[in-house]
Amino acid sequence: MAAGGSAGGLTLLGVAAFAVELAVYAAAGWWGWARPGRRAWRLSAAVAAVLGLALPWGWFAAPTANHPLHGAARAVFELCWFGAGALAAVRARDARRGAQGGG
């Protein structure tokens, strides 16, 4: 086994990174779904939020990115990208609490 417990190129760190990436997409979808309005609007907002994060990730940060970022640019991109996911989760949670009358 290589560093990080790899088996055929798959590492524990890689799996964890992918899980966190999926969590960002889930948070973005949750935020879109938590928007006020009709179901079609909320679904559109959820899909747009996920695509709004998936496209730049695929272009600049994915292992097979066409224009991969490196160094400081990569760090800034990831900070903003993962920060957007965290913000989406917080805003969706707050929207849900507001809809339930909690505060």
XYZ file of all heavy atoms in Angstrom:
739
model
N 0.834 -1.181 0.000
C 0.000 0.000 0.000
C 0.878 1.244 0.000
O 1.832 1.324 0.739
C -0.889 0.046 1.231
C -2.063 -0.868 1.181
S -3.193 -0.411 2.484
C -4.695 -0.773 1.656
N 0.482 2.200 -0.792
C 1.222 3.460 -0.861
C 0.746 4.393 0.246
O -0.155 4.068 1.004
C 1.022 4.105 -2.229
N 1.352 5.564 0.298
C 0.982 6.549 1.313
C -0.509 6.845 1.247
O -1.074 7.015 0.180
C 1.781 7.833 1.107
N -1.113 6.929 2.407
C -2.538 7.226 2.451
C -3.408 5.988 2.310
O -4.611 6.076 2.241
N -2.797 4.797 2.255
C -3.571 3.564 2.180
C -4.187 3.332 0.819
O -5.359 3.059 0.702
N -3.395 3.451 -0.244
C -3.959 3.323 -1.587
C -4.102 1.868 -2.001
O -3.371 1.008 -1.558
C -3.091 4.059 -2.609
O -1.888 3.365 -2.829
N -5.044 1.643 -2.851
C -5.262 0.334 -3.459
C -5.627 0.594 -4.913
O -6.730 0.987 -5.219
C -6.379 -0.411 -2.742
N -4.649 0.449 -5.803
C -4.916 0.691 -7.211
C -5.124 2.164 -7.526
O -5.941 2.490 -8.374
N -4.420 3.066 -6.861
C -4.539 4.489 -7.128
C -5.567 5.188 -6.266
O -5.628 6.404 -6.250
N -6.378 4.461 -5.551
C -7.407 5.042 -4.694
C -6.826 5.223 -3.298
O -6.324 4.279 -2.705
C -8.621 4.116 -4.650
C -9.878 4.641 -4.010
C -10.396 5.846 -4.774
C -10.930 3.568 -3.988
N -6.852 6.449 -2.788
C -6.318 6.712 -1.462
C -7.430 7.132 -0.517
O -8.474 7.624 -0.952
C -5.252 7.827 -1.491
O -5.890 9.049 -1.868
C -4.128 7.494 -2.457
N -7.176 6.952 0.755
C -8.138 7.379 1.760
C -8.346 8.890 1.684
O -9.470 9.375 1.785
C -7.644 6.974 3.152
C -8.584 7.227 4.319
C -9.927 6.534 4.082
C -7.961 6.747 5.598
N -7.272 9.625 1.455
C -7.376 11.076 1.309
C -8.217 11.450 0.087
O -9.032 12.364 0.143
C -5.980 11.692 1.202
C -5.928 13.210 1.103
C -6.568 13.848 2.326
C -4.503 13.672 0.941
N -8.031 10.733 -1.010
C -8.823 10.987 -2.216
C -10.301 10.719 -1.996
O -11.155 11.486 -2.454
N -10.606 9.650 -1.292
C -12.000 9.319 -0.990
C -12.611 10.384 -0.084
O -13.738 10.835 -0.303
C -12.109 7.915 -0.358
C -13.507 7.650 0.169
C -11.708 6.846 -1.368
N -11.851 10.827 0.919
C -12.341 11.866 1.824
C -12.567 13.173 1.068
O -13.576 13.856 1.282
C -11.360 12.069 2.973
N -11.643 13.524 0.182
C -11.792 14.746 -0.603
C -13.033 14.684 -1.484
O -13.768 15.667 -1.613
C -10.547 14.984 -1.449
N -13.276 13.521 -2.071
C -14.464 13.360 -2.912
C -15.739 13.456 -2.068
O -16.725 14.064 -2.494
C -14.407 12.033 -3.664
C -15.550 11.824 -4.608
C -15.747 12.685 -5.680
C -16.434 10.784 -4.432
C -16.808 12.504 -6.553
C -17.496 10.593 -5.305
C -17.679 11.453 -6.368
N -15.708 12.899 -0.863
C -16.875 12.979 0.021
C -17.177 14.429 0.396
O -18.339 14.850 0.416
C -16.643 12.136 1.276
N -16.137 15.211 0.659
C -16.342 16.617 0.995
C -16.864 17.377 -0.222
O -17.725 18.254 -0.108
C -15.041 17.243 1.545
C -15.186 18.735 1.740
C -14.649 16.573 2.849
N -16.356 17.032 -1.405
C -16.857 17.653 -2.640
C -18.353 17.370 -2.804
O -19.140 18.275 -3.111
C -16.084 17.119 -3.836
C -16.495 17.726 -5.154
C -15.773 17.118 -6.345
O -14.765 16.423 -6.167
O -16.244 17.349 -7.465
N -18.751 16.136 -2.586
C -20.171 15.785 -2.673
C -20.994 16.531 -1.623
O -22.133 16.925 -1.885
C -20.361 14.277 -2.530
C -19.832 13.426 -3.673
C -20.048 11.939 -3.368
C -20.481 13.800 -4.988
N -20.411 16.748 -0.444
C -21.114 17.491 0.599
C -21.359 18.934 0.167
O -22.413 19.508 0.473
C -20.317 17.447 1.907
N -20.410 19.520 -0.556
C -20.604 20.882 -1.064
C -21.764 20.907 -2.051
O -22.619 21.795 -2.001
C -19.303 21.420 -1.701
C -19.561 22.695 -2.483
C -18.255 21.659 -0.632
N -21.810 19.927 -2.949
C -22.921 19.869 -3.909
C -24.251 19.672 -3.186
O -25.258 20.280 -3.549
C -22.713 18.754 -4.926
C -21.518 18.953 -5.815
C -20.619 17.930 -6.030
C -21.286 20.169 -6.442
C -19.517 18.102 -6.855
C -20.190 20.355 -7.252
C -19.305 19.315 -7.458
O -18.219 19.498 -8.258
N -24.253 18.817 -2.164
C -25.480 18.590 -1.396
C -25.926 19.881 -0.702
O -27.119 20.206 -0.691
C -25.257 17.479 -0.370
N -24.982 20.616 -0.136
C -25.318 21.874 0.537
C -25.879 22.881 -0.459
O -26.853 23.585 -0.163
C -24.078 22.448 1.229
N -25.286 22.946 -1.635
C -25.780 23.878 -2.659
C -27.192 23.497 -3.098
O -28.062 24.364 -3.245
C -24.841 23.887 -3.866
N -27.428 22.210 -3.294
C -28.769 21.761 -3.660
C -29.777 22.015 -2.561
O -30.910 22.438 -2.825
N -29.372 21.785 -1.336
C -30.242 22.036 -0.185
C -30.586 23.510 -0.101
O -31.736 23.887 0.138
C -29.542 21.549 1.075
C -30.306 21.710 2.365
C -31.660 21.680 2.530
C -29.753 21.914 3.652
N -31.976 21.848 3.858
C -30.825 21.993 4.573
C -28.453 22.024 4.146
C -30.633 22.184 5.924
C -28.270 22.204 5.500
C -29.349 22.291 6.369
N -29.585 24.379 -0.308
C -29.831 25.816 -0.285
C -30.857 26.203 -1.361
O -31.790 26.948 -1.092
C -28.528 26.591 -0.498
C -28.757 28.050 -0.653
C -28.903 28.964 0.339
C -28.912 28.763 -1.884
N -29.134 30.207 -0.204
C -29.140 30.107 -1.565
C -28.868 28.391 -3.226
C -29.331 31.084 -2.538
C -29.052 29.364 -4.197
C -29.281 30.694 -3.847
N -30.669 25.696 -2.578
C -31.608 26.011 -3.655
C -33.006 25.523 -3.350
O -33.993 26.218 -3.601
N -33.105 24.347 -2.782
C -34.408 23.773 -2.458
C -35.078 24.527 -1.314
O -36.304 24.597 -1.225
C -34.262 22.296 -2.115
C -35.569 21.621 -1.940
C -36.132 21.232 -0.779
C -36.509 21.271 -2.972
N -37.359 20.653 -1.014
C -37.610 20.665 -2.357
C -36.512 21.410 -4.359
C -38.709 20.198 -3.068
C -37.611 20.938 -5.060
C -38.683 20.347 -4.422
N -34.279 25.133 -0.439
C -34.813 25.859 0.715
C -35.318 27.251 0.350
O -35.905 27.930 1.185
C -33.736 25.973 1.805
N -35.114 27.673 -0.887
C -35.579 28.995 -1.321
C -37.100 29.041 -1.245
O -37.767 28.030 -1.434
C -35.165 29.317 -2.770
C -33.736 29.134 -3.136
C -32.672 29.853 -2.320
N -33.037 31.145 -1.813
C -32.789 31.538 -0.553
N -32.195 30.744 0.286
N -33.141 32.730 -0.155
N -37.651 30.217 -1.008
C -39.119 30.321 -1.017
C -39.652 30.235 -2.444
O -38.947 30.559 -3.397
C -39.380 31.712 -0.420
C -38.119 32.469 -0.634
C -37.002 31.467 -0.646
N -40.853 29.777 -2.572
C -41.490 29.733 -3.886
C -42.045 28.364 -4.221
O -42.027 27.446 -3.408
N -42.514 28.289 -5.439
C -43.107 27.036 -5.916
C -42.048 25.967 -6.109
O -40.859 26.256 -6.254
C -43.831 27.279 -7.227
C -45.028 28.160 -7.060
C -45.727 28.351 -8.364
N -46.960 29.075 -8.129
C -48.045 28.900 -8.834
N -48.057 28.064 -9.837
N -49.120 29.591 -8.548
N -42.495 24.735 -6.160
C -41.594 23.591 -6.281
C -40.711 23.687 -7.522
O -39.515 23.402 -7.457
C -42.412 22.303 -6.307
C -41.552 21.064 -6.296
C -42.373 19.814 -6.211
N -43.089 19.842 -4.928
C -44.129 19.082 -4.660
N -44.598 18.258 -5.566
N -44.708 19.142 -3.493
N -41.266 24.089 -8.658
C -40.471 24.181 -9.898
C -39.353 25.208 -9.749
O -38.225 24.983 -10.207
C -41.366 24.537 -11.083
N -39.653 26.338 -9.104
C -38.628 27.365 -8.884
C -37.539 26.841 -7.957
O -36.355 27.046 -8.186
C -39.267 28.625 -8.312
C -38.260 29.561 -7.721
C -38.098 29.860 -6.405
C -37.247 30.293 -8.420
N -37.059 30.730 -6.245
C -36.509 31.016 -7.472
C -36.897 30.394 -9.763
C -35.448 31.836 -7.809
C -35.829 31.215 -10.092
C -35.117 31.927 -9.130
N -37.931 26.163 -6.880
C -36.959 25.634 -5.926
C -36.082 24.570 -6.572
O -34.867 24.542 -6.345
C -37.688 25.094 -4.704
C -38.359 26.226 -3.930
C -39.216 25.799 -2.749
N -39.035 24.447 -2.295
C -40.037 23.642 -1.962
N -41.284 24.059 -2.037
N -39.806 22.431 -1.532
N -36.679 23.732 -7.399
C -35.895 22.713 -8.095
C -34.912 23.361 -9.060
O -33.742 22.966 -9.133
C -36.820 21.750 -8.843
C -36.122 20.643 -9.645
C -35.287 19.763 -8.727
C -37.143 19.815 -10.399
N -35.366 24.380 -9.780
C -34.476 25.105 -10.695
C -33.327 25.758 -9.937
O -32.176 25.732 -10.390
C -35.248 26.179 -11.460
O -36.229 25.588 -12.271
N -33.633 26.350 -8.795
C -32.591 26.986 -7.986
C -31.589 25.965 -7.480
O -30.377 26.208 -7.475
C -33.226 27.733 -6.812
N -32.067 24.786 -7.077
C -31.174 23.739 -6.592
C -30.247 23.248 -7.701
O -29.036 23.115 -7.505
C -31.988 22.582 -6.018
N -30.804 23.001 -8.876
C -29.996 22.532 -10.013
C -28.987 23.604 -10.419
O -27.811 23.310 -10.657
C -30.899 22.126 -11.197
C -30.085 21.882 -12.450
C -31.712 20.887 -10.825
N -29.424 24.852 -10.475
C -28.522 25.943 -10.863
C -27.393 26.111 -9.852
O -26.236 26.357 -10.234
C -29.307 27.243 -11.005
N -27.703 25.978 -8.563
C -26.668 26.111 -7.537
C -25.622 25.007 -7.662
O -24.417 25.261 -7.580
C -27.305 26.089 -6.149
N -26.081 23.785 -7.889
C -25.143 22.667 -8.039
C -24.298 22.857 -9.292
O -23.068 22.701 -9.263
C -25.887 21.314 -8.052
C -24.944 20.180 -8.412
C -26.535 21.057 -6.701
N -24.932 23.215 -10.400
C -24.173 23.443 -11.634
C -23.209 24.614 -11.499
O -22.101 24.590 -12.045
C -25.116 23.681 -12.804
C -25.819 22.455 -13.358
C -26.799 22.859 -14.455
C -24.821 21.444 -13.877
N -23.632 25.638 -10.756
C -22.785 26.800 -10.544
C -21.508 26.470 -9.795
O -20.514 27.186 -9.899
N -21.522 25.400 -9.042
C -20.307 24.940 -8.365
C -19.606 23.830 -9.147
O -18.376 23.748 -9.141
C -20.640 24.460 -6.953
C -20.999 25.569 -5.970
C -21.537 24.979 -4.679
C -19.798 26.449 -5.694
N -20.370 22.978 -9.812
C -19.765 21.847 -10.522
C -18.945 22.285 -11.732
O -17.874 21.732 -11.986
C -20.854 20.863 -10.959
N -19.443 23.265 -12.467
C -18.728 23.681 -13.676
C -17.344 24.251 -13.383
O -16.354 23.794 -13.956
C -19.585 24.641 -14.497
C -20.822 23.999 -15.132
C -21.685 25.056 -15.807
C -20.429 22.917 -16.101
N -17.216 25.236 -12.486
C -15.866 25.727 -12.224
C -14.956 24.675 -11.590
O -13.755 24.645 -11.852
C -16.061 26.919 -11.286
C -17.479 26.988 -10.954
C -18.235 26.039 -11.834
N -15.538 23.786 -10.778
C -14.719 22.720 -10.203
C -14.169 21.831 -11.319
O -12.989 21.486 -11.325
C -15.518 21.886 -9.207
C -14.660 20.840 -8.552
C -14.499 19.542 -8.928
C -13.811 21.033 -7.426
N -13.617 18.917 -8.098
C -13.175 19.811 -7.163
C -13.532 22.124 -6.601
C -12.277 19.644 -6.108
C -12.643 21.952 -5.565
C -12.022 20.722 -5.328
N -15.016 21.479 -12.244
C -14.578 20.644 -13.364
C -13.541 21.330 -14.247
O -12.629 20.686 -14.762
N -13.671 22.628 -14.419
C -12.732 23.368 -15.268
C -11.378 23.579 -14.604
O -10.356 23.551 -15.274
C -13.300 24.737 -15.633
C -14.487 24.711 -16.534
C -14.780 23.767 -17.481
C -15.560 25.651 -16.574
N -15.970 24.078 -18.099
C -16.461 25.228 -17.562
C -15.830 26.813 -15.859
C -17.620 25.930 -17.868
C -16.986 27.508 -16.158
C -17.866 27.067 -17.148
N -11.385 23.827 -13.277
C -10.163 24.283 -12.628
C -9.604 23.387 -11.532
O -8.439 23.538 -11.173
C -10.385 25.676 -12.025
C -10.829 26.697 -13.020
C -12.051 27.328 -12.886
C -10.036 27.032 -14.102
C -12.473 28.281 -13.800
C -10.447 27.973 -15.032
C -11.654 28.601 -14.877
N -10.387 22.493 -10.944
C -9.912 21.774 -9.766
C -10.028 20.259 -9.846
O -9.397 19.562 -9.057
C -10.644 22.275 -8.530
N -10.827 19.734 -10.742
C -10.988 18.282 -10.845
C -9.677 17.631 -11.297
O -8.852 18.278 -11.946
C -12.103 17.953 -11.832
N -9.481 16.371 -10.963
C -8.261 15.692 -11.406
C -8.081 15.714 -12.925
O -6.949 15.676 -13.411
C -8.442 14.259 -10.896
C -9.372 14.389 -9.738
C -10.292 15.527 -10.078
N -9.155 15.795 -13.664
C -9.074 15.824 -15.134
C -9.416 17.202 -15.696
O -9.867 17.307 -16.830
C -10.034 14.773 -15.727
O -11.359 15.072 -15.278
C -9.647 13.362 -15.314
N -9.179 18.260 -14.911
C -9.523 19.620 -15.320
C -8.764 20.027 -16.580
O -7.596 19.683 -16.757
C -9.207 20.596 -14.197
N -9.445 20.760 -17.455
C -8.813 21.266 -18.678
C -7.834 22.394 -18.388
O -6.857 22.576 -19.098
C -9.880 21.768 -19.655
C -10.693 20.645 -20.236
O -10.242 19.517 -20.319
N -11.916 20.953 -20.632
N -8.123 23.190 -17.368
C -7.292 24.341 -17.015
C -6.978 24.282 -15.519
O -7.439 25.144 -14.756
C -8.018 25.645 -17.346
C -8.514 25.714 -18.745
N -7.681 25.885 -19.817
C -9.759 25.597 -19.258
C -8.397 25.890 -20.934
N -9.669 25.704 -20.611
N -6.204 23.286 -15.082
C -5.994 23.117 -13.644
C -5.214 24.282 -13.034
O -4.288 24.813 -13.636
C -5.192 21.819 -13.553
C -4.533 21.675 -14.871
C -5.471 22.300 -15.866
N -5.654 24.673 -11.864
C -4.967 25.724 -11.117
C -3.894 25.080 -10.234
O -4.033 23.933 -9.817
C -5.959 26.491 -10.250
C -7.063 27.233 -10.991
C -8.047 27.841 -10.000
C -6.473 28.308 -11.892
N -2.861 25.848 -9.949
C -1.771 25.345 -9.114
C -1.381 26.413 -8.111
O -1.635 27.599 -8.320
C -0.556 24.983 -9.976
C -0.850 23.962 -11.016
N -1.012 22.636 -10.738
C -1.039 24.083 -12.352
C -1.271 21.976 -11.850
N -1.307 22.833 -12.850
N -0.752 25.989 -7.043
C -0.194 26.908 -6.066
C -1.237 27.770 -5.386
O -2.302 27.306 -4.992
N -0.893 29.065 -5.263
C -1.757 30.007 -4.554
C -3.123 30.149 -5.230
O -4.146 30.275 -4.544
C -1.082 31.371 -4.450
N -3.146 30.121 -6.556
C -4.427 30.243 -7.269
C -5.348 29.074 -6.907
O -6.551 29.263 -6.699
C -4.198 30.295 -8.775
N -4.790 27.889 -6.801
C -5.573 26.707 -6.426
C -6.088 26.851 -4.994
O -7.251 26.541 -4.697
C -4.719 25.445 -6.584
C -5.316 24.156 -6.071
C -6.406 23.642 -6.954
N -7.000 22.439 -6.423
C -7.158 21.324 -7.108
N -6.770 21.254 -8.353
N -7.726 20.280 -6.567
N -5.224 27.324 -4.102
C -5.620 27.488 -2.702
C -6.747 28.503 -2.561
O -7.722 28.267 -1.840
C -4.410 27.909 -1.866
N -6.646 29.620 -3.261
C -7.688 30.650 -3.204
C -8.987 30.107 -3.799
O -10.071 30.309 -3.241
C -7.233 31.935 -3.922
C -8.391 32.909 -4.109
C -6.096 32.592 -3.158
N -8.877 29.408 -4.930
C -10.065 28.830 -5.553
C -10.760 27.870 -4.588
O -11.975 27.947 -4.386
C -9.696 28.092 -6.847
C -10.864 27.385 -7.473
C -11.736 28.070 -8.294
C -11.105 26.042 -7.218
C -12.833 27.426 -8.864
C -12.188 25.390 -7.778
C -13.051 26.085 -8.608
N -9.998 26.968 -3.975
C -10.601 25.985 -3.074
C -11.180 26.648 -1.831
O -12.246 26.242 -1.355
C -9.593 24.906 -2.693
C -9.316 23.957 -3.842
C -8.512 22.737 -3.430
O -8.330 22.502 -2.213
O -8.084 22.008 -4.328
N -10.508 27.656 -1.323
C -11.036 28.372 -0.165
C -12.396 28.988 -0.496
O -13.359 28.858 0.272
C -10.056 29.463 0.279
C -10.458 30.265 1.503
C -10.486 29.373 2.740
C -9.493 31.409 1.707
N -12.484 29.634 -1.638
C -13.760 30.241 -2.063
C -14.804 29.174 -2.371
O -15.978 29.308 -1.987
C -13.538 31.131 -3.285
S -12.554 32.595 -2.943
N -14.407 28.105 -3.038
C -15.350 27.069 -3.464
C -15.929 26.332 -2.262
O -17.150 26.188 -2.137
C -14.643 26.102 -4.417
C -15.572 25.228 -5.180
C -16.193 25.518 -6.358
C -15.981 23.903 -4.821
N -16.965 24.439 -6.744
C -16.854 23.445 -5.836
C -15.696 23.060 -3.754
C -17.431 22.185 -5.803
C -16.279 21.795 -3.728
C -17.139 21.377 -4.744
N -15.044 25.875 -1.367
C -15.535 25.172 -0.180
C -16.249 26.135 0.766
O -17.210 25.753 1.443
C -14.391 24.441 0.534
C -13.940 23.204 -0.194
C -12.726 23.182 -0.851
C -14.730 22.073 -0.240
C -12.304 22.049 -1.536
C -14.323 20.932 -0.926
C -13.106 20.925 -1.570
N -15.812 27.378 0.788
C -16.508 28.389 1.577
C -17.925 28.616 1.074
O -18.851 28.803 1.866
N -18.098 28.600 -0.231
C -19.437 28.739 -0.809
C -20.327 27.579 -0.372
O -21.514 27.772 -0.071
C -19.365 28.817 -2.330
N -19.767 26.385 -0.328
C -20.535 25.228 0.138
C -20.927 25.358 1.598
O -22.068 25.068 1.978
N -19.994 25.819 2.426
C -20.292 26.005 3.847
C -21.353 27.087 4.038
O -22.285 26.928 4.829
C -19.017 26.368 4.601
N -21.222 28.180 3.297
C -22.204 29.257 3.379
C -23.586 28.775 2.924
O -24.603 29.111 3.539
C -21.762 30.448 2.541
C -22.666 31.669 2.579
C -22.786 32.220 3.998
C -22.136 32.729 1.631
N -23.619 27.979 1.871
C -24.898 27.441 1.395
C -25.561 26.590 2.473
O -26.772 26.680 2.688
C -24.685 26.622 0.117
N -24.771 25.775 3.165
C -25.328 24.923 4.222
C -25.898 25.766 5.358
O -26.997 25.497 5.852
C -24.263 23.967 4.748
N -25.166 26.797 5.760
C -25.629 27.662 6.842
C -26.896 28.404 6.431
O -27.863 28.486 7.196
C -24.515 28.652 7.254
C -25.044 29.737 8.185
C -23.366 27.895 7.906
N -26.900 28.943 5.217
C -28.078 29.691 4.751
C -29.298 28.777 4.600
O -30.420 29.185 4.897
C -27.773 30.386 3.430
C -26.639 31.401 3.497
C -27.043 32.627 4.254
N -28.086 33.282 3.521
C -28.176 34.584 3.347
N -27.303 35.382 3.886
N -29.160 35.096 2.654
N -29.088 27.554 4.135
C -30.208 26.613 4.008
C -30.748 26.242 5.384
O -31.966 26.179 5.585
C -29.757 25.364 3.251
N -29.849 26.025 6.329
C -30.280 25.725 7.696
C -31.080 26.884 8.272
O -32.134 26.689 8.873
C -29.067 25.440 8.570
C -29.448 25.071 10.001
C -28.359 25.353 10.996
N -28.065 26.788 10.997
C -26.926 27.302 11.432
N -25.967 26.522 11.860
N -26.740 28.604 11.425
N -30.595 28.102 8.077
C -31.301 29.277 8.592
C -32.657 29.445 7.924
O -33.629 29.805 8.583
C -30.463 30.537 8.391
C -29.218 30.557 9.285
O -29.127 29.727 10.204
O -28.342 31.407 9.020
N -32.731 29.190 6.622
C -34.008 29.295 5.911
C -34.993 28.258 6.443
O -36.185 28.536 6.602
C -33.799 29.110 4.409
N -34.499 27.079 6.736
C -35.377 26.024 7.256
C -35.881 26.382 8.641
O -37.054 26.201 8.957
C -34.617 24.695 7.288
C -35.476 23.558 7.761
C -34.768 22.246 7.642
N -35.658 21.186 8.043
C -35.263 20.037 8.524
N -33.987 19.773 8.612
N -36.127 19.130 8.870
N -34.988 26.906 9.481
C -35.406 27.326 10.816
C -36.444 28.431 10.746
O -37.409 28.436 11.502
C -34.203 27.807 11.620
C -33.356 26.710 12.137
C -32.253 27.279 12.991
N -31.413 26.226 13.528
C -30.286 26.412 14.162
N -29.837 27.660 14.337
N -29.594 25.409 14.618
N -36.251 29.380 9.814
C -37.211 30.467 9.650
C -38.570 29.973 9.182
O -39.599 30.438 9.645
N -38.570 28.981 8.303
C -39.830 28.435 7.791
C -40.573 27.652 8.871
O -41.787 27.549 8.835
C -39.553 27.529 6.595
N -39.830 27.115 9.844
C -40.451 26.344 10.907
C -40.875 27.220 12.087
O -41.435 26.737 13.050
C -39.478 25.260 11.427
C -39.212 24.177 10.427
C -38.182 23.185 10.938
O -37.480 23.427 11.907
N -38.095 22.058 10.279
N -40.564 28.522 11.977
C -40.943 29.426 13.059
C -39.916 29.497 14.151
O -40.109 30.177 15.149
N -38.805 28.776 13.995
C -37.730 28.850 14.995
C -36.854 30.039 14.700
O -37.009 30.746 13.728
N -35.876 30.282 15.510
C -35.135 31.426 15.177
C -33.791 31.482 15.663
O -32.973 32.189 15.594
